[in-house]
Amino acid sequence: MPINYYITLALCLFAIGVVGVLTRRNAIIVFMCIELMLNAVNLLLVAFSKMHHLTKGAAATAGSDGQLFVFFIMVVAAAEVSVGLAIIVMMYRNVHSININFLNRLKH
Amino acid sequence: MNNVLDIVYWIPLLPLLGCIINGLGRKSLSKGAVGFIGSGVILASFILSLWVFFQVRGGNVHTAEYFPFINVGNLKIPFAFQIDQLSAIWLLIITGIGFLIHVYSTSYMHDEKPEHFGRYFAYLNLFVFSMLLLVMGANFVIMFIGWEGVGLCSYLLIGFWFKKKEYSKAANKAFIMNRVGDLAFLIALFILISKLGTTTFSEIFTPASLAKLSAKEISAITLLLFIGATGKSAQIPLYTWLPDAMAGPTPVSALIHAATMVTAGIYMIARANLLFSMAPSTLNIIAIIGIATALLAATIALKQNDIKKVLAYSTVSQLGYMFLALGSGAYVAAVFHVMTHAFFKALLFLGSGSVIHAMGGEQDMRKMGGLSKYMKITNLTFLLGCLAIAGIPGFSGFFSKDEILAGAFAKSPVLYALGLLGALLTAFYMFRLYATTFKGSFRGTHEQEHHLHESPAAITIPLIILAILSVVGGFVGVPEFMAHGAHALSDFLHPIFKDSYALLPVHEADHSTEWGLAGLSSVLIIVTVIIAWTRFSKKPDLEPASGLGKVLENKWYVDELYDTVIVKPLNKLGSFLGNVVDKRIVDGAVNGVGRLVRYGSRQLRWVQSGQTGSYILMMVLGMVLVFVVQFFLRK
Amino acid sequence: MIALLLILVPLVSGLATFLIKKEEQVRTWSLLAAIITFIIAILGVAVYTTNWTFRADWMGLLNSSFSLKGDGMGIMLCLLTALCYPVIFLSTWTTAYKKVNNFFGLMLLAQAGLMGVFLAMDALLFYFFWELALIPVYFICSQWGGEKRIAVTFKFFIYTFIGSLLMLVGILYVYSHTPGHSFDIEAFYKSGLSMKEQTWLFWLFFIAFAVKMPIFPFHTWQPDTYQQSPTAATMVLSALMVKMGVLGLLRWLLPVFPIASYLNGDTISLLAVTGIIYASLIAMRQDDMKRLVAYSSIAHIGLMCAAVFAEDKSALQGTMIQMFSHGINILGMWMVVAIIERKFGTVKISALGGIAQKAPALTFFFVIIAFANIALPLTNAFIGEFLMFKGILGSKVSQNGIWIMAAAGVGIILGAVYTLRMGRKVFFGETNTLTEKGTDIAFHEKALLIIIIGAILIVGIYPQPFLNAVDQTSQSILKNSDVLPMLMKQKH
């Protein structure tokens, strides 16, 4: 399959993620959209990694660093989820809402 | 101690010591002691000066270096004195007349509190010290020290009665106007330094060194020096401080006007005569300013009613004559007139002081009259002084003024005619003064009349001595056409001016012309004196002046003119700069920058709304921007 | 060793002062420290004349060393500082301060900073001391100042701090261009910057110094600060701190950026001369003695600045003498003003009058200081002004010497106008209800003023030793800032 398909799909996912983050007020959905963006990037990384690996005359390990990044991103994302969800839970306890517009209270 | 020239530094040192002793001891010393010390040091200086005078008669020049004052690079300015014929004459005038004024002051100032009495004598001694420094300096810098020093002392003495606001105003005016002239003097001095690298007279006034200067530079230097002289010697346009300087005690007026300060300008030009002789255009300007001042001041003196003011304007006018002489190249005549003027002007001022003393402080002539009955000696000596200043033949003023007029005639008959007119005005206002004060009937209050008395000996003896000098003083300078070789002063001063004579064009008028001129002026002056005498002894002018008289009484409104043209605009400008430019514009710009930062940050605050959504939007926009820049705009 | 001691003694005693609790002890201790510093300075001038160099490692990695050296100018300014401090302490002896230990501690720290600035021969060290001198004064003004102290101090601080930062940028830039990357002053002199670099670096340094002096139009912090600060701080600021700026010009600007100094000389002189006339005119109309003295100081410093850029030997010597003289004269002026403020509770010229009748001795001292302020011959200021004028007129780098001189001369006339006006309105005339009950000054005040008068007259009558002391310094500054070889080099 040509690489263009992967890129287009990733772009679409990323764009959906961006729009979601910008338009939605529900903290959980915003969070999910962020995950979507991260995964769009992951998809791209894997796709390019594979592409490099298949290039003629490439070394046996070519493209493996891209897949390595993906693992890193997934680990960081998992950590982020655990902290982020905890924040959202705390927020819900305090204001009984998970609307992110309430977060501007921080400045007071 | 074979030679007095080796101890010549005592001449200025003694008055300085007197100043210090009187100044420090003004509370502990008795008035007698203060007066004795104050006068004694001047007498000692006078004796030394006399001795010096006889030492330099043969054409000796003595210079003595004491310590290096300012040595930087190639410029060496030592603290040094130069004694020659010119300074010897001035030494005699300063210490001689100064001594008489000190003696006079012991009586005149006797009513002052002891500490003020001591302060007065300290200032007086300091004044003499500064003046001595001025005439003894061997270079322009030492001269300038004295030059500014007399300015300081005049400030102190004019403002002596500092309780009166007007007096300290007059003191400030005197000092500041002098400062204007001093600045010109300084600039001339710096040009000299930058061209010749020295300020020492004996090094500057040599043909070799003057040859280094271009004609333009010489004109500039001489003009600037002359502006300096107009400040100190009260010429147009810087003369208005002198009449105001009458605020000081009367003996001080005598000291400033007769013996010291005002003759400093004449001395300086006479000292630099070689330089001036090389600048004919400057000499023309000096002659014109001189005669203009002489006439302007004489016309003002016609209508003054304050006895001291008349004398003050008369001084300005006589100084104008001296500058006329300098401008005509008749240097000896200028020095001669300085000398005779010192005699009779000191006499007149001290005489007026005696009158004021008797009148209990009254200075308005309209309230005097008929004083000859009460004050015999003052009357007689004052009359002799008036005759001398008017230039009646045989009196000292006649010889010196005649020599000036002869010099002016040689330069231009117009100058002569104007000079003669000035002389007639002089005779007129002096006898208006004399007749109004001493003749007619007494017009003051009954109480004043009761107090009228002749002054004590400490006042009358100086008057008598000065009167004698005023009468016979002219015989040191009998003109060539009257008696051959009788001009002792000219011979004495010959070494000073001999280089200039070679430069200046000689117009020797023949003797018959000179006889004619002298005769003409004498006749006219005598007629004027008689007219003034008869008119004012019968009917003194007591009415308020009108028309031209009012203009004259108000001194041609020159003070008002200066006030509107210079003083007020400067004050306005100062206020404007201080209140508007400094506060609003300069400081405003500074505060404006601060305000701009505050305003900017207040606007930027809205960006930090706390809305997570807007932060994210901005983040995305930022990313897009970076993307666009990275891929599309970069080449 | 002398150089090090002059910094260490005030520094250590200043730090120790913070710890002392009793007020009397604080005052005695700090006075003692100031006197010891003075004695060290005197010893340094009279006996250990060769001991003015000190060098130690400081920040070896940056090639910056703790290098102190007293040249003629530095020694003279150290002497001035050392002389002024005891006089300042004594003349404000009776002033009450809250937290007196902090006040005196900061004063002594500022002294250490000043000494350091005058002696530092390493750019980083110079900058360090520059700030060390500034920051204590900032605290003093904001803690012990008048009503508007916070706003005024803030302005003062921002002004000087921006200047300092610009200078720091400049120092770092020059540092990175010196051969072998060194902060040493000799390395700075040999930096060999191009004409373009010099031009903008010149302004970075100049603004820092101009703010400190101050030069028109960077002066507006000064009258406010002088008016609001406690008198002791004003004395330090005006008598000593402004000299930091002039010294900066002479030691760190002219020789480091010779080409730019040459090119900008006339511009700066124009600024300076404008400042002279401008400040003098404003001084004529001030009703507050403190502001009047502040503006008069701006005028005097303007002349020094113009003289520096004449790049003439006698002008430089004159400037150095004048730095000393100006310090003495303005200190005397402040002492008189402080005495008047203490006696009558005001320094408004219009509210005073006739003091001469009540306090003849004070008047006597004032008159002498006033005439020194307007440079009467035989006072110290005459020597400086005479040489500066001579140098400006004889300047080889400027064609406009005569105009600069004439304009500055107008400032001299105006100087007489405002100084005498103040004297007339404050001291002469009739007394009013306020001044009626005035008394004359006490013996110790007389003694202090006699020190000032003595310094005025000694320098005025026999200036030669002082001129000799700065002869070498001015020579070497001129040698380093000689622009001709540099211009030749730039061409190739």
Coordinates of all heavy atoms in Angstrom, one line a residue, chain A residues 65-101:
Chain A
D65 N 14.2 2.7 14.8 CA 14.1 3.8 15.8 C 12.8 4.4 15.8 O 12.3 4.8 16.9 CB 15.2 4.9 15.6 CG 15.4 5.2 14.1 OD1 14.7 4.6 13.3 OD2 16.2 6.1 13.8
G66 N 12.1 4.5 14.7 CA 10.7 5.0 14.6 C 9.8 4.2 15.5 O 9.0 4.7 16.3
Q67 N 9.9 2.9 15.4 CA 9.1 2.0 16.3 C 9.4 2.2 17.8 O 8.5 2.2 18.6 CB 9.2 0.6 15.9 CG 9.1 0.5 14.4 CD 8.6 -0.9 13.9 OE1 8.2 -1.7 14.7 NE2 8.5 -1.1 12.6
L68 N 10.7 2.5 18.0 CA 11.1 2.7 19.4 C 10.4 4.0 19.9 O 9.9 4.0 21.1 CB 12.6 3.0 19.4 CG 13.3 2.3 20.5 CD1 13.4 0.8 20.2 CD2 14.7 2.9 20.7
F69 N 10.3 5.0 19.1 CA 9.7 6.3 19.5 C 8.2 6.0 19.9 O 7.7 6.5 20.9 CB 9.7 7.3 18.4 CG 11.0 8.0 18.2 CD1 11.4 8.3 16.9 CD2 11.8 8.2 19.3 CE1 12.6 9.0 16.8 CE2 13.0 8.8 19.1 CZ 13.4 9.2 17.8
V70 N 7.6 5.1 19.1 CA 6.2 4.8 19.3 C 6.0 4.2 20.7 O 5.1 4.6 21.5 CB 5.7 3.8 18.3 CG1 4.2 3.3 18.6 CG2 5.7 4.4 16.9
F71 N 6.9 3.3 21.1 CA 6.8 2.8 22.4 C 6.9 3.9 23.5 O 6.2 3.9 24.5 CB 7.8 1.7 22.7 CG 7.4 0.4 22.0 CD1 8.1 -0.1 20.9 CD2 6.3 -0.3 22.5 CE1 7.7 -1.3 20.3 CE2 5.9 -1.5 21.9 CZ 6.6 -2.0 20.8
F72 N 7.9 4.7 23.3 CA 8.1 5.8 24.2 C 6.8 6.6 24.3 O 6.3 6.9 25.4 CB 9.2 6.7 23.8 CG 10.5 6.3 24.4 CD1 11.5 5.6 23.7 CD2 10.8 6.6 25.7 CE1 12.7 5.2 24.3 CE2 12.0 6.3 26.3 CZ 12.9 5.6 25.6
I73 N 6.3 7.0 23.2 CA 5.0 7.8 23.2 C 3.9 7.1 24.0 O 3.2 7.7 24.7 CB 4.6 8.1 21.8 CG1 5.7 9.1 21.1 CG2 3.3 8.8 21.8 CD1 5.4 9.4 19.7
M74 N 3.8 5.8 23.7 CA 2.7 5.1 24.4 C 2.9 5.0 25.9 O 2.0 5.2 26.7 CB 2.6 3.6 23.8 CG 1.9 3.6 22.5 SD 2.2 2.1 21.5 CE 1.3 1.0 22.4
V75 N 4.2 4.9 26.3 CA 4.5 4.9 27.8 C 4.1 6.3 28.3 O 3.4 6.4 29.4 CB 5.9 4.6 28.0 CG1 6.3 4.8 29.5 CG2 6.2 3.1 27.6
V76 N 4.6 7.3 27.7 CA 4.3 8.7 28.2 C 2.8 8.9 28.2 O 2.3 9.5 29.1 CB 5.1 9.7 27.3 CG1 4.6 11.1 27.7 CG2 6.5 9.6 27.5
A77 N 2.1 8.5 27.1 CA 0.7 8.7 27.1 C 0.0 8.0 28.2 O -0.9 8.5 28.8 CB 0.2 8.2 25.7
A78 N 0.5 6.8 28.5 CA -0.2 6.1 29.6 C 0.0 6.8 30.9 O -0.9 7.0 31.7 CB 0.5 4.7 29.7
A79 N 1.3 7.3 31.1 CA 1.5 8.1 32.3 C 0.6 9.3 32.4 O 0.0 9.7 33.4 CB 3.0 8.5 32.4
E80 N 0.5 10.0 31.3 CA -0.2 11.2 31.1 C -1.7 10.9 31.5 O -2.4 11.7 32.2 CB -0.1 11.7 29.7 CG -0.6 13.1 29.5 CD -0.7 13.3 28.0 OE1 0.2 12.9 27.2 OE2 -1.7 13.9 27.6
V81 N -2.2 9.8 31.0 CA -3.6 9.4 31.2 C -3.8 9.2 32.7 O -4.8 9.7 33.3 CB -4.0 8.1 30.5 CG1 -5.3 7.5 31.0 CG2 -4.0 8.4 29.0
S82 N -2.9 8.6 33.3 CA -3.1 8.3 34.8 C -3.2 9.6 35.5 O -4.0 9.9 36.4 CB -2.0 7.4 35.3 OG -0.8 8.0 35.2
V83 N -2.2 10.5 35.2 CA -2.3 11.8 35.9 C -3.5 12.6 35.5 O -4.2 13.2 36.3 CB -1.0 12.6 35.6 CG1 -1.0 14.0 36.2 CG2 0.2 11.9 36.1
G84 N -3.7 12.7 34.2 CA -4.8 13.5 33.7 C -6.1 13.1 34.2 O -6.9 13.9 34.7
L85 N -6.4 11.8 34.2 CA -7.7 11.3 34.8 C -7.8 11.6 36.2 O -8.9 12.0 36.7 CB -7.8 9.8 34.5 CG -8.2 9.4 33.1 CD1 -8.3 7.9 32.9 CD2 -9.6 10.0 32.8
A86 N -6.7 11.5 36.9 CA -6.7 11.9 38.4 C -7.1 13.3 38.5 O -7.9 13.7 39.4 CB -5.4 11.6 39.0
I87 N -6.5 14.2 37.7 CA -6.9 15.6 37.8 C -8.4 15.8 37.5 O -9.1 16.5 38.2 CB -6.0 16.4 36.8 CG1 -4.6 16.4 37.2 CG2 -6.6 17.9 36.7 CD1 -3.7 17.1 36.3
I88 N -8.9 15.1 36.5 CA -10.3 15.3 36.1 C -11.2 14.8 37.3 O -12.2 15.5 37.6 CB -10.6 14.5 34.8 CG1 -9.9 15.2 33.7 CG2 -12.1 14.4 34.6 CD1 -9.9 14.4 32.4
V89 N -10.8 13.7 37.9 CA -11.6 13.2 39.0 C -11.6 14.3 40.1 O -12.6 14.6 40.7 CB -11.0 11.9 39.5 CG1 -11.7 11.5 40.8 CG2 -11.3 10.8 38.5
M90 N -10.4 14.8 40.4 CA -10.3 15.8 41.5 C -11.2 17.0 41.1 O -11.8 17.6 42.0 CB -8.9 16.3 41.7 CG -8.0 15.3 42.4 SD -8.6 14.8 44.0 CE -8.6 16.3 44.9
M91 N -11.1 17.4 39.9 CA -11.9 18.5 39.4 C -13.4 18.3 39.6 O -14.1 19.1 40.1 CB -11.6 18.8 38.0 CG -12.3 20.0 37.4 SD -11.9 20.0 35.6 CE -13.2 21.2 35.1
Y92 N -13.8 17.0 39.3 CA -15.2 16.7 39.4 C -15.6 16.8 40.9 O -16.7 17.3 41.2 CB -15.5 15.3 38.8 CG -16.9 15.0 38.9 CD1 -17.8 15.6 38.0 CD2 -17.5 14.1 39.9 CE1 -19.2 15.3 38.0 CE2 -18.8 13.9 39.9 CZ -19.7 14.5 39.0 OH -21.0 14.2 39.1
R93 N -14.8 16.3 41.7 CA -15.1 16.4 43.2 C -15.2 17.8 43.6 O -16.0 18.1 44.5 CB -13.9 15.7 44.0 CG -14.0 14.2 43.9 CD -13.2 13.7 45.1 NE -13.0 12.3 44.9 CZ -12.0 11.6 45.5 NH1 -11.1 12.3 46.2 NH2 -11.9 10.3 45.3
N94 N -14.4 18.7 43.1 CA -14.5 20.1 43.6 C -15.6 20.9 43.0 O -16.3 21.7 43.7 CB -13.2 20.8 43.2 CG -12.1 20.5 44.2 OD1 -12.4 20.4 45.4 ND2 -10.9 20.3 43.7
V95 N -15.9 20.8 41.7 CA -16.9 21.6 41.1 C -18.0 20.9 40.5 O -18.9 21.5 39.9 CB -16.2 22.5 40.0 CG1 -15.2 23.4 40.6 CG2 -15.6 21.6 38.9
H96 N -18.1 19.6 40.7 CA -19.2 18.8 40.2 C -19.4 19.0 38.7 O -20.5 19.1 38.3 CB -20.5 19.0 41.0 CG -20.3 18.6 42.4 ND1 -20.4 17.3 42.8 CD2 -20.1 19.3 43.5 CE1 -20.2 17.2 44.1 NE2 -20.0 18.4 44.6
S97 N -18.3 19.1 38.0 CA -18.5 19.3 36.5 C -17.1 19.0 36.0 O -16.1 19.0 36.6 CB -18.8 20.7 36.2 OG -18.6 21.0 34.8
I98 N -17.1 18.5 34.7 CA -15.9 18.3 34.1 C -15.7 19.2 32.8 O -15.0 19.0 31.9 CB -15.6 16.9 33.7 CG1 -16.9 16.3 33.0 CG2 -15.2 16.0 34.9 CD1 -16.6 14.9 32.3
N99 N -16.5 20.3 32.9 CA -16.4 21.3 31.8 C -15.1 22.1 32.0 O -14.8 22.6 33.1 CB -17.6 22.3 32.0 CG -17.7 23.2 30.8 OD1 -16.7 23.5 30.1 ND2 -18.9 23.6 30.5
I100 N -14.3 22.1 30.9 CA -13.0 22.8 31.1 C -13.1 24.3 31.3 O -12.1 24.9 31.7 CB -12.0 22.5 30.0 CG1 -12.7 22.9 28.6 CG2 -11.6 21.0 30.0 CD1 -11.7 22.9 27.5
N101 N -14.2 24.9 31.0 CA -14.3 26.3 31.2 C -14.2 26.7 32.7 O -13.8 27.8 33.1 CB -15.6 26.9 30.7 CG -15.6 27.0 29.2 OD1 -14.5 26.7 28.6 ND2 -16.7 27.4 28.6

